[in-house]
Amino acid sequence: MTKILWAGADKTTDKFLPPLRTALRTVLPNAQLIVGKHQPKEIEYLVYAPNGPVQDFKEYTSLKLIQSIWAGVDVILSNPDFPKIPLARMADTGMAEGMSDYILGQVLRHHLSTDRFTAMQPGQWFNTETPILARNRKVAILGLGNLGQFCGKRIATQGFKVLGWSRSQKTINGIDCYAGQDGFNAILSEADIFVLLLPNTTDTENTINRDAIARMKKGASIINAGRGEAIDDKALIDALETGHLSQATLDVFRTEPLPKDHPFWSTPNLLITPHVAAETRFETACDFTAENIRRGETGEPFLALVDRNLGY
């Protein structure tokens, strides 16, 4: 009998367990999902969050896979005692759809500059500008993982010219792909709206710094729903205050919740959202988890395995 341990945070247990049991019954009817008291040496699969009950892995000697219920794995990999066995990030369709809803909504908001109308006073009626068409607006996706590709393709269906940048060269229908430092420099000078969906690694920290912002077009805008560490906070504030960047939307931050005294709260043309872009959808997350465990039992390749050398 396949033994699976639920090791997520208590606050998600009641929401996660019913659909996970249903998903497991569909693909592995003889699997045993264990919650609470257990024998670590018997556990083969760990459904895991780093804020859950399992912090010491020494006795879990039979593990075949640790399935994270989070899309980001930087917190997990920061644990020096984390075991060197296969680790899969969450890459379910529900999370991708939710992220693309958020990103598309913010791209359209930036594209149409709708924020300027929120400050209209009675009697003001400035409608003299002809809006730019989507086909004449370039949107750059920085980070072409599962979420980046999904969002980029959806934005492209709305008529935008989509540029994508990643560490290594990729070929994706509907997206003009760039890679490496030369590709990064090229995309900085071309795009009008930048969407950041980068993981948090030593290589991605401060990807958007003063030099990168200086290379952007005057009036460009930024949407960050990946990791807060990807942006140099002070450089972004200065660019918004001087008007070099027209606006920004941030859903992720170096410290969360964002401290009430952080200068972002008073920065002009900056929308703050409280890390809501891609909440876990429990049914699709459980389907993904059950499928990965099924693959482990049938010898098929796991989905969304983390490359520890890259950090994602």
Side-chain angles (χ1 to χ4, degrees):
M1 179 179 290
T2 304
K3 294 193 175 183
I4 305 156
L5 178 67
W6 166 256
D10 289 342
K11 66 180 181 180
T12 60
T13 297
D14 291 342
K15 295 179 179 179
F16 218 105
L17 286 183
L20 182 55
R21 287 193 175 102
T22 298
L24 286 168
R25 279 197 299 269
T26 301
V27 299
L28 285 173
N30 294 323
Q32 180 183 5
L33 180 60
I34 300 169
V35 182
K37 188 176 180 180
H38 62 280
Q39 296 296 323
K41 290 182 175 60
E42 296 180 355
I43 302 301
E44 299 169 90
Y45 297 91
L46 208 58
V47 182
Y48 176 79
N51 58 352
V54 177
Q55 300 294 325
D56 186 348
F57 298 89
K58 288 192 294 292
E59 294 187 54
Y60 292 88
T61 56
S62 300
L63 286 177
K64 299 177 182 177
L65 175 73
I66 297 176
Q67 174 63 61
S68 172
I69 63 173
W70 294 3
V73 294
D74 49 297
V75 175
I76 297 174
L77 295 180
S78 68
N79 180 353
D81 298 321
F82 196 77
K84 296 187 182 303
I85 64 167
L87 166 66
R89 65 187 184 278
M90 182 55 64
D92 66 302
T93 57
M95 183 173 289
E97 290 174 29
M99 178 65 85
S100 71
D101 285 348
Y102 178 92
I103 295 299
L104 178 59
Q106 297 306 318
V107 165
L108 287 170
R109 177 177 147 262
H110 287 218
H111 167 59
L112 297 171
S113 300
T114 52
D115 285 8
R116 60 198 166 112
F117 300 121
T118 64
M120 283 178 64
Q121 300 299 312
Q124 286 186 323
W125 200 257
F126 41 91
N127 63 349
T128 56
E129 294 183 19
T130 301
I132 296 173
L133 295 175
R135 59 186 167 88
N136 294 322
R137 184 83 74 183
K138 294 181 180 180
V139 179
I141 307 291
L142 306 186
L144 292 175
N146 178 61
L147 294 177
Q149 292 188 37
F150 196 98
C151 291
K153 290 176 181 178
R154 187 167 180 196
I155 292 167
T157 66
Q158 303 304 308
F160 292 97
K161 178 72 171 178
V162 178
L163 316 177
W165 178 78
S166 56
R167 179 178 176 274
S168 56
Q169 187 65 48
K170 295 186 177 182
T171 302
I172 304 167
N173 289 336
I175 301 176
D176 289 349
C177 296
Y178 296 71
Q181 188 61 50
D182 289 344
F184 183 63
N185 291 337
I187 214 170
L188 286 173
S189 62
E190 283 195 46
D192 304 295
I193 300 171
F194 291 84
V195 176
L196 277 63
L197 291 170
L198 295 164
N200 182 24
T201 70
T202 54
D203 290 335
T204 61
E205 185 170 4
N206 292 329
T207 294
I208 301 302
N209 52 28
R210 290 189 185 278
D211 178 66
I213 291 172
R215 292 171 182 267
M216 294 178 182
K217 296 178 182 178
K218 181 176 173 56
S221 62
I222 291 175
I223 301 163
N224 188 14
R227 285 292 182 266
E229 290 82 357
I231 295 180
D232 179 330
D233 291 359
K234 186 62 167 60
L236 177 64
I237 291 169
D238 290 347
L240 289 167
E241 289 182 339
T242 62
H244 182 71
L245 294 180
S246 61
Q247 56 184 327
T249 298
L250 304 181
D251 187 59
V252 289
F253 307 90
R254 292 173 183 270
T255 301
E256 296 184 6
L258 185 65
K260 64 181 181 180
D261 59 349
H262 196 286
F264 277 160
W265 291 109
S266 58
T267 300
N269 300 314
L270 172 60
L271 174 66
I272 293 167
T273 60
H275 205 140
V276 296
E279 294 290 328
T280 298
R281 269 63 176 183
F282 295 102
E283 288 189 4
T284 55
C286 290
D287 287 343
F288 181 86
T289 298
E291 170 61 15
N292 242 2
I293 294 171
R294 183 198 69 78
R295 285 170 169 261
E297 292 302 281
T298 58
E300 298 174 56
F302 290 120
L303 301 171
L305 283 181
V306 173
D307 185 326
R308 293 171 190 245
N309 293 323
L310 298 178
Y312 55 90

